[in-house]
Amino acid sequence: MGVFSGHWPSESELDKLRQKVAEMSGRDAQEVRVVVSPYRICPLGAHIDHQGGTVSAMTINRGILLGFVPSNDTQVTLQSGQFKGEVRFRVDEVQLPKHISKTNGLNEQIDSSKPQEECKWGNYARGAIYALQNKGNPLKTGITGFICGSEGLDSSGLSSSAAVGIAYLLAFESANGLVVCPTENIEYDRQIENEYLGLKNGILDQSAILLSSYGCLTCMNCKTIKHKLIRPPEVQNNHVGELGNAYKILLAFSGLKQALTTNPGYNRRVAECQEAAKLLLQASGNEEVEPVLSNVEPEVFEAHKSKLEPDLAKRAEHYFSENERVLKGLEAWASGNLKEFGELITASGLSSIQNYECGCEPLIQLYEILLKAPGVLGARFSGAGFRGCCLAFVDADRAEEAAMFVKNEYCKLQPELASHINQGPAVLICDAGDCARVI
C-alpha cells in the first residue's frame, strides 16, 4: 500500500491492452483501437448538478481504457480486467432499461444463465446500445473488446461509471463510423445512467470527461447546459506555465466501497433538495415552476428558509452556498490564486458534511487528515461522499511528503479499512488530464 504517480496511459499499458484484444479477436495488434476515458474530479460544485447548479470539474491522468476491434458482424464480445466472465450480445438486440426488463422478462431471459456479477458489468455496454438505439443510430457492427481501469486504482468517487459508459459509446460509434459531438454523447451517457440503470444523478461527470482540456477548469451551468473552459493565466497562450506545475492532485482512498445505485442516501438527498425547492417556490408564489433549487432565487431562500424543516433547510443552504463557492472559485482559478481556490474547496467539504450530511466517519477522518498534511491547499470528498475517496490540491513540491503523511495517519485511525487498500496505492499523486478520446 504505497504512493504512486506517473504518466497515463503508458506505452506498456497500451501495448498490453492491444496484445490482449489481438488474442481475443485473432486480429493484428496494430488494428486495435483504444478509448481513453479519464476519471474526473470536481473541485467545487458538490451535490448541486442535479439541482441545475453551476459546477466545476477537471479530468485526471487516470481512468478507463477500452481496447477494441470492430467485429465482422453484429456480435459484441467483452472481457474485463476487473470482473470474471465474458459478456456477449448483439448490437441489433433491443435493449430495455433494467427496471422495465425485470417486469417483462425480455432481458432477464438473455441474462438468466450468466453469473450476476458478469451481467452487472455488462450493463454499461448494453446501456450504450440502448442510448444509441433510442436516437435511431444505425448499428450494424459489434466490437470485440477488453476494458480495464488504471492499474491498482480504486475508482470509488471518481465517476468511474460515467467513464465506462462513455468508453463504450465512443467504441460503438467508432466501430459504426458514427460522428457524434461531445454534447450529444453527454446526453447519451445521461440516458445510460438515468434511464437504463436508474441512477438519479446530473450530467457533471459526463460533461467533465467529454469536454475537459488539459490544465483548464471546466465550468458548467447544469440548468442551461452551457459550459466554458477556464484557463489559468499562465496557460492562456497554449503553454503550461507556473500554475500548471505549481500543484498536484492527491487522491486519498478510504477502503470503503459501495455503488451509488445501492445506496439510498444519494437518491434521498436529491428528493430532499426537490422538496425544499417545492416549498420555497410555493412560499414565493411560483409553484408552477419545476421544483429544483436553481429555480429559486437566493433572496427567496433567505426570506423563507425559516419555513423549511431543519433537514431541508440544510440541503438548500448547501446548494446556495456551494453555488456561490463555485463562482468565487472560477475567479480564483482564472487569476491563478491557488490559495483561495484551495480554501473554497475545504469550505465545500465542510458544507458537504454539515449541510448535505454525507460522509461517514472514515471519510471525514480522511478529510481532516488531508487538511493537516504538509502543503495541502484544500480538500474535500470526491464523488458523492457515501463511499470512496477524498481529493486535495497540494503544493507540487510537497506532494510526496503529504501523501506519506496521509497514508500513515489514516492507517493509525482505520487500520482495518486501510488494510483493504491492498491492490493499489493508499494515496495517488495525479496531474490534470485531457478529454475522452479514441487513439
Side-chain angles (χ1 to χ4, degrees):
M1 191 176 71
V3 170
F4 180 74
S5 60
H7 292 292
W8 179 81
S10 66
E11 280 307 317
S12 70
E13 276 179 290
L14 290 172
D15 288 345
K16 212 188 293 183
L17 185 59
R18 289 185 179 117
Q19 204 50 52
K20 175 73 185 170
V21 177
E23 284 165 23
M24 284 175 66
S25 63
R27 307 267 279 278
D28 194 284
Q30 290 183 323
E31 291 180 61
V32 178
R33 307 173 197 178
V34 179
V35 181
V36 178
S37 189
Y39 297 141
R40 70 95 188 98
I41 58 167
C42 170
L44 291 164
H47 304 294
I48 62 174
D49 61 330
H50 53 73
Q51 295 302 297
T54 300
V55 296
S56 74
M58 65 197 307
T59 53
I60 58 170
N61 61 335
R62 297 289 183 282
I64 297 291
L65 297 176
L66 169 57
F68 71 97
V69 288
S71 311
N72 295 321
D73 52 24
T74 60
Q75 184 65 44
V76 175
T77 306
L78 299 168
Q79 289 181 14
S80 162
Q82 193 178 0
F83 300 106
K84 290 177 185 158
E86 190 168 79
V87 168
R88 294 173 69 87
F89 63 94
R90 297 189 319 277
V91 292
D92 52 356
E93 280 172 25
V94 174
Q95 298 297 334
L96 294 165
K98 291 290 108 187
H99 56 93
I100 293 176
S101 59
K102 280 188 172 56
T103 56
N104 66 23
L106 286 178
N107 276 22
E108 294 304 297
Q109 289 171 11
I110 296 163
D111 292 346
S112 59
S113 64
K114 301 180 181 178
Q116 196 50 41
E117 186 185 62
E118 178 217 318
C119 299
K120 279 190 178 156
W121 77 260
N123 281 345
Y124 284 93
R126 290 189 175 95
I129 295 297
Y130 164 82
L132 290 163
Q133 283 174 347
N134 249 4
K135 284 282 191 259
N137 288 293
L139 298 174
K140 294 177 181 155
T141 307
I143 61 170
T144 298
F146 185 85
I147 191 164
C148 55
S150 288
E151 285 182 19
L153 168 56
D154 170 9
S155 61
S156 310
L158 299 174
S159 70
S160 55
S161 62
V164 169
I166 286 163
Y168 285 126
L169 285 169
L170 294 183
F172 288 130
E173 287 159 6
S174 171
N176 284 276
L178 300 173
V179 179
V180 179
C181 68
T183 47
E184 273 183 279
N185 271 328
I186 290 168
E187 171 56 20
Y188 288 159
D189 194 67
R190 185 201 64 74
Q191 287 186 28
I192 297 173
E193 302 226 38
N194 296 175
E195 295 177 24
Y196 191 77
L197 298 169
L199 179 59
K200 294 179 182 173
N201 55 350
I203 59 164
L204 165 64
D205 297 349
Q206 303 91 316
S207 303
I209 293 166
L210 285 158
L211 301 171
S212 284
S213 180
Y214 176 75
C216 301
L217 201 57
T218 304
C219 158
M220 165 160 275
N221 180 319
C222 294
K223 186 176 177 181
T224 63
I225 319 299
K226 287 188 175 154
H227 79 280
K228 56 184 174 183
L229 295 177
I230 312 292
R231 300 179 185 278
E234 292 84 358
V235 295
Q236 279 178 346
N237 297 324
N238 294 327
H239 66 276
V240 177
E242 286 172 30
L243 186 55
N245 300 326
Y247 70 91
K248 294 279 184 188
I249 298 157
L250 287 189
L251 296 173
F253 299 98
S254 66
L256 290 165
K257 287 181 168 64
Q258 184 175 24
L260 281 188
T261 42
T262 61
N263 190 306
Y266 182 85
N267 285 349
R268 191 187 311 130
R269 292 294 186 284
V270 176
E272 286 168 341
C273 289
Q274 289 169 334
E275 183 61 20
K278 185 174 144 191
L279 294 169
L280 290 165
L281 288 164
Q282 281 171 354
S284 60
N286 277 324
E287 53 263 50
E288 74 288 346
V289 181
E290 186 194 356
V292 288
L293 287 166
S294 58
N295 284 333
V296 179
E297 295 298 328
E299 48 273 23
V300 168
F301 168 61
E302 289 302 327
H304 299 287
K305 65 181 175 186
S306 59
K307 295 175 185 165
L308 298 175
E309 289 171 22
D311 280 356
L312 299 186
K314 284 181 185 174
R315 307 301 177 257
E317 178 65 45
H318 173 74
Y319 171 84
F320 288 105
S321 64
E322 186 72 355
N323 221 35
E324 188 62 29
R325 280 186 288 274
V326 173
L327 300 177
K328 286 182 179 166
L330 297 174
E331 285 176 22
W333 186 263
S335 64
N337 189 340
L338 273 178
K339 182 174 179 292
E340 187 190 346
F341 188 69
E343 286 165 358
L344 289 161
I345 292 172
T346 299
S348 168
L350 193 58
S351 181
S352 287
I353 295 166
Q354 294 180 343
N355 294 321
Y356 206 73
E357 293 185 286
C358 67
C360 49
E361 187 180 46
L363 272 179
I364 293 168
Q365 288 173 337
L366 199 47
Y367 164 76
E368 289 169 347
I369 291 166
L370 279 162
L371 294 181
K372 293 178 193 150
V376 164
L377 301 157
R380 75 168 199 81
F381 303 149
S382 182
F386 293 103
R387 57 167 184 164
C389 66
C390 289
L391 71 89
F393 277 64
V394 61
D395 186 318
D397 295 335
R398 306 197 74 182
E400 297 278 349
E401 186 188 353
M404 288 308 298
F405 174 88
V406 173
K407 173 179 169 287
N408 293 335
E409 293 301 308
Y410 187 66
C411 271
K412 289 179 201 168
L413 291 177
Q414 293 288 348
E416 178 150 356
L417 277 174
S419 73
H420 293 174
I421 315 167
N422 51 11
Q423 293 211 311
V427 183
L428 187 68
I429 301 168
C430 300
D431 289 309
D434 216 330
C435 61
R437 60 214 181 266
V438 180
I439 54 175

